[in-house]
Each structure stands twice: as structure tokens, then as C-alpha cells.
């Protein structure tokens, strides 16, 4: 959760189903996931052609706004002017984390074809988890 005390920021968001188009890199020691892409406003589409398929959402956060970043959504934050923001990071439910890591590892090994179908199956697993 981000609270803008002063100034403003812009957040570029990508749903987890866009993962294959963002060229993920895993650091398995701490399970942090990053992207090979460093500046999403200037991506070399010859080197990273799948990025053209990624669809972003944009949010401007102004003074007094609270912003919730959904778990596992890819994001890039741009600050405008001087600003002050207070962030509160918290852990998600371990069941969700375990399923995400397991699913993400499988997706990285698979080809990029059928990403939408896999995302739909993941959504079904989240809505109706087996016990």
C-alpha cells in the first residue's frame, strides 16, 4: 500500500497473465522476480519482441491518495516533481505464494504459446483451491 503525502507518481501495471511478455528473471534464493526489461518506455522490441503483446494499465497517484498494488502484478513507478510516499509491504497468504511460485516455474519452462489459457486455469485454481 502506498500513501502519497506530497507530490505525485505514475504507476505502470501489468497483470500476472502478462508475465511471459515481460521477460522474467528469477532469483530463486529469495524468490524475487524481476524483468530483463529496464525501461518500459523504451524497450528494444527487436531484442524483446513479445513485449509488444503486453498491455499496461496506468495509474496516477496524487497527494492524499492510497494505492494498493495487487500481489504479483508487475509494476514500474515514475516520480514527478519532488514527492513523499509512505509504503507498507506485507506478506501475502502462504498458500497463494506457494501456488504462484509453482505455477511461475512451470510457465517459464513452457513455450509462450497458450499463456492466456494457462492464466485462466490459474484463476480457476485460485477461485476453487483443492484442499
Amino acid at each position: 500500500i502506498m500513501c502519497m503525502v506530497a507530490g505525485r507518481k505514475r504507476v505502470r501495471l501489468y497483470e500476472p497473465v502478462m508475465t511471459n511478455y515481460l521477460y522474467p528473471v528469477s532469483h530463486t534464493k529469495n524468490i524475487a522476480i524481476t524483468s530483463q526489461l529496464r525501461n518500459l518506455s523504451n524497450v528494444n522490441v527487436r531484442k524483446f519482441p513479445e513485449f509488444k503483446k503486453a498491455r499496461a494499465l496506468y495509474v496516477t497517484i496524487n497527494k492524499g491518495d492510497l494505492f494498493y498494488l495487487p500481489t504479483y502484478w508487475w509494476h514500474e513507478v515514475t516520480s514527478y516533481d519532488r514527492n513523499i510516499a509512505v509504503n507498507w509491504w506485507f506478506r501475502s497468504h502462504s498458500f497463494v505464494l506457494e501456488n504462484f511460485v509453482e505455477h511461475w516455474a512451470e510457465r517459464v519452462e513452457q513455450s509462450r504459446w497458450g499463456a492466456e489459457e494457462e492464466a485462466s486455469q490459474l484463476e480457476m485454481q485460485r477461485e476453487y483451491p483443492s484442499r
Side-chain angles (χ1 to χ4, degrees):
I1 296 175
M2 179 192 306
C3 175
M4 284 303 298
V5 177
R8 64 189 172 112
K9 294 180 183 262
R10 185 189 73 166
V11 181
R12 182 189 313 233
L13 296 162
Y14 295 92
E15 297 177 74
V17 296
M18 297 291 159
T19 295
N20 285 340
Y21 308 137
L22 299 172
Y23 296 86
V25 177
S26 175
H27 300 284
T28 55
K29 185 175 181 181
N30 60 3
I31 313 176
I33 297 174
T34 60
S35 173
Q36 296 175 53
L37 308 174
R38 294 293 171 235
N39 179 353
L40 298 177
S41 296
N42 190 23
V43 174
N44 180 344
V45 292
R46 287 186 185 158
K47 185 174 179 182
F48 303 107
E50 294 295 305
F51 178 71
K52 291 186 284 187
K53 297 177 184 175
R55 298 293 171 246
L57 301 171
Y58 297 90
V59 176
T60 299
I61 307 166
N62 296 298
K63 176 183 175 181
D65 290 345
L66 286 175
F67 173 73
Y68 169 74
L69 177 62
T71 305
Y72 309 123
W73 280 53
W74 296 86
H75 62 283
E76 177 184 65
V77 179
T78 303
S79 294
Y80 296 105
D81 312 316
R82 291 183 182 196
N83 62 68
I84 300 171
V86 177
N87 296 306
W88 179 53
W89 298 97
F90 53 92
R91 290 182 177 223
S92 62
H93 189 276
S94 62
F95 173 80
V96 174
L97 179 60
E98 289 169 6
N99 281 320
F100 173 77
V101 171
E102 182 178 299
H103 179 75
W104 184 84
E106 290 173 6
R107 287 185 70 179
V108 168
E109 295 299 320
Q110 296 172 353
S111 72
R112 294 199 171 127
W113 300 106
E116 291 81 10
E117 181 179 329
E118 293 170 27
S120 175
Q121 291 173 1
L122 176 61
E123 196 62 39
M124 288 292 290
Q125 289 174 357
R126 285 185 182 155
E127 289 181 29
Y128 307 101
S130 59
R131 297 193 184 226

